[in-house]
Amino acid sequence: MDIYSIIPPIVAIVVVFWKKEVILALFLAILSAEFISLFAAPDTSLWLTPINTIEQIVNIVSDPGNARVLLFSLLVGALLAFIRDSGGVAATVNLLVSKGIAKSKRQVGALTMFTGIAVFIESNLSVLTAGILARGLFDKYKMSRARLAYIIDSTSAPVCILILLNGWGALVIGLLSNYDLAEETPVSILVGTIPLNFYAIITLVVVAYTITKDKVHGPMREAEKECKTSNHELESTAATKARFMLLPLAVMIFGMIAFMLWTGQGNLIQGSGTKSVLYSTFLACVVAYLLLVWHKRFTHHEVVQLGFKGIGELLPVVTIVLLSLTLGASLKTLGTGVFVAGLVGDYLPLILVAPMLFIAGGIMSFTTGTSWGTFAILVPIGVPLIQTLGLPPSLVIAAILGGGVFGDHCSPISDTTAISSIAAGCDLLTHVKTQMPYALFAGALSIVAYILASIVMIG
């Protein structure tokens, strides 16, 4: 199928930017992917395309890992409703301001970034924790939700791919363990990627710049102007007790760590991210429920109604997550990632291998919406290049990892992008549009950095 395999992501991206409708774009992309699959099987009727599309969605839901992601996303809606309508958000904002922790826009931005860095154990938990904590503060200081989505999204994945004491590191070690790399071990290679992961480092520097200078550029500036003239969610609920927010949030964070240890049988890195984030979010919802009932803030029936109201608010975004996962599975079947990876070519000058792997990773992650899928495809391509051409292992692997995160940051069909929008309470397309200039800037600098690093380390 080769070149035909890139049609579905092109369909998704074109419809997204043309109609501004993400769900329609994703569904049409899945439909086109199933049509191409049937077209390649001459004995099968093309009229089965709609049926196969529905079955593909059902298959995604029936996968335990995907089901946990979807349930987690729904529970986030209930948790956000509990802490918001209880007055916990407003109370926490007042507490942080009174304690001098969040007295200005710079302090609010720094607190948000620090939270995202501190919760490096899992990218979804990182954006969720930082997003929930900072929503009210951003509203108070009339900072846009698009800016919040950018800070948490551009902090979580770069930090996770630099610290690596998490599922990200476990995935890459697992991929590298299949190869014999002479004196280098998977762990030593992974540690060596940290100073060479230029995209992650540059992205964090840019985020820090926007916070310390309190400056935004491009579409983000327009979002900030609109925010200053609009009403804010915080104003609708009077402050009550900060514990209504802080206690469930603490339970979620420490519960995540505990469940990671439990599912990994004592090994944090080997723990299941999808199981742990689901269990910890559910536990946080239970704690929030008990607090509200115990303090007679709401009755049992009111809390239940409030939870379903929150879930209902997130149904459109959870649908986007579901369709993104489905499209990723369809593209894997078509071999889209392998085709894009093949664009790297076999006859590149050695100093261009790492930059081209970064670009290929970015394109692949952008068109498939998954950085982990990009790692799984490109690492098996990059390691043979290391073995046959004598390239520095850490440089090549760092380029692949950075490219995957770069493309994911730009992609409107990424489930991570959707979850960041959920956490920040920002429209998905607005988040993509406002974050992309920053990601492209960091990506361009990264390409230059990989060329210079290749000249120094290879040439």
Side-chain angles (χ1 to χ4, degrees):
M1 288 176 275
D2 291 339
I3 197 166
Y4 297 109
S5 66
I6 65 171
I7 292 176
I10 290 175
V11 168
I13 292 163
V14 169
V15 175
V16 159
F17 289 109
W18 175 39
K19 290 292 187 180
K20 312 298 183 188
E21 177 51 63
V22 181
I23 293 177
L24 175 64
L26 289 170
F27 185 76
L28 290 178
I30 298 167
L31 205 65
S32 64
E34 294 307 311
F35 179 85
I36 293 170
S37 295
L38 289 173
F39 187 77
D43 296 333
T44 309
S45 172
L46 295 177
W47 293 106
L48 290 175
T49 299
I51 300 297
N52 281 19
T53 299
I54 295 172
E55 286 300 316
Q56 182 73 298
I57 295 173
V58 171
N59 289 336
I60 290 301
V61 177
S62 62
D63 177 81
N66 293 334
R68 292 186 197 106
V69 171
L70 296 171
L71 285 173
F72 146 72
S73 300
L74 291 171
L75 285 176
V76 166
L79 182 61
L80 289 173
F82 289 156
I83 66 173
R84 178 191 67 205
D85 290 13
S86 67
V89 173
T92 301
V93 169
N94 292 341
L95 176 66
L96 292 173
V97 172
S98 65
K99 294 294 184 181
I101 299 173
K103 293 189 297 184
S104 66
K105 288 185 177 182
R106 289 184 177 87
Q107 286 188 342
V108 169
L111 177 64
T112 306
M113 186 178 183
F114 173 78
T115 304
I117 293 173
V119 191
F120 62 84
I121 190 170
E122 212 277 333
S123 57
N124 286 339
L125 186 71
S126 174
V127 296
L128 180 62
T129 305
I132 291 175
L133 180 65
R135 275 183 173 207
L137 292 169
F138 270 63
D139 289 349
K140 180 177 178 64
Y141 289 98
K142 296 188 180 296
M143 299 161 72
S144 69
R145 292 294 183 85
R147 188 172 181 180
L148 173 57
Y150 161 66
I151 291 175
I152 61 178
D153 195 3
S154 292
T155 299
S156 64
V159 165
C160 286
I161 206 66
L162 286 174
I163 297 182
L164 295 166
L165 296 174
N166 46 42
W168 295 63
L171 170 69
V172 181
I173 287 175
L175 292 171
L176 292 174
S177 297
N178 296 322
Y179 302 93
D180 180 15
L181 291 163
E183 297 179 359
E184 296 273 14
T185 65
V187 174
S188 67
I189 293 173
L190 208 55
V191 172
T193 66
I194 295 174
L196 297 172
N197 202 326
F198 300 123
Y199 178 77
I201 295 170
I202 293 170
T203 296
L204 290 174
V205 170
V206 173
V207 172
Y209 160 79
T210 65
I211 292 171
T212 55
K213 296 296 184 180
D214 190 25
K215 287 185 178 180
V216 290
H217 306 278
M220 189 79 77
R221 186 181 297 171
E222 296 303 315
E224 287 286 291
K225 288 179 181 177
E226 291 177 11
C227 179
K228 291 176 181 178
T229 59
S230 63
N231 293 322
H232 296 289
E233 178 184 278
L234 180 62
E235 297 167 359
S236 63
T237 307
T240 53
K241 299 179 184 295
R243 74 187 68 166
F244 290 155
M245 174 177 176
L246 295 180
L247 196 54
L249 206 57
V251 167
M252 185 175 64
I253 295 170
F254 292 109
M256 178 73 187
I257 297 172
F259 285 123
M260 285 287 283
L261 288 168
W262 181 58
T263 56
Q265 297 181 337
N267 189 327
L268 191 71
I269 297 178
Q270 297 298 323
S272 171
T274 57
K275 287 183 180 180
S276 301
V277 76
L278 173 60
Y279 300 160
S280 59
T281 306
F282 175 77
L283 186 59
C285 285
V286 171
V287 170
Y289 163 84
L290 293 174
L291 280 172
L292 296 180
V293 174
W294 179 265
H295 287 276
K296 294 181 169 39
R297 184 74 176 90
F298 298 109
T299 65
H300 162 74
H301 293 293
E302 288 173 336
V303 175
V304 172
Q305 288 178 347
L306 183 60
F308 278 109
K309 174 190 171 186
I311 289 173
E313 290 172 355
L314 287 194
L315 274 179
V317 187
V318 175
T319 302
I320 291 172
V321 174
L322 169 60
L323 295 180
S324 296
L325 293 170
T326 307
L327 180 58
S330 296
L331 295 180
K332 183 177 180 180
T333 302
L334 289 178
T336 304
V338 176
F339 173 75
V340 173
L343 298 176
V344 175
D346 299 322
Y347 304 101
L348 285 173
L350 292 183
I351 61 171
L352 293 182
V353 170
M356 286 306 296
L357 282 172
F358 175 83
I359 293 171
I363 295 173
M364 186 186 308
S365 184
F366 179 79
T367 54
T368 61
T370 169
S371 53
W372 281 38
T374 298
F375 303 157
I377 292 169
L378 274 186
V379 168
I381 292 173
V383 173
L385 294 176
I386 294 170
Q387 294 172 323
T388 56
L389 301 177
L391 299 173
S394 293
L395 178 66
V396 172
I397 300 302
I400 292 171
L401 301 182
V405 175
F406 166 54
D408 202 55
H409 276 167
C410 296
S411 179
I413 62 175
S414 164
D415 58 306
T416 306
T417 305
I419 291 174
S420 297
S421 299
I422 291 174
C426 171
D427 176 71
L428 176 62
L429 292 184
T430 300
H431 172 41
V432 172
K433 181 176 69 174
T434 52
Q435 177 167 261
M436 189 174 289
Y438 294 95
L440 291 174
F441 173 74
L445 289 183
S446 299
I447 293 170
V448 174
Y450 280 115
I451 293 174
L452 294 175
S454 297
I455 291 173
V456 172
M457 299 177 70
I458 302 171

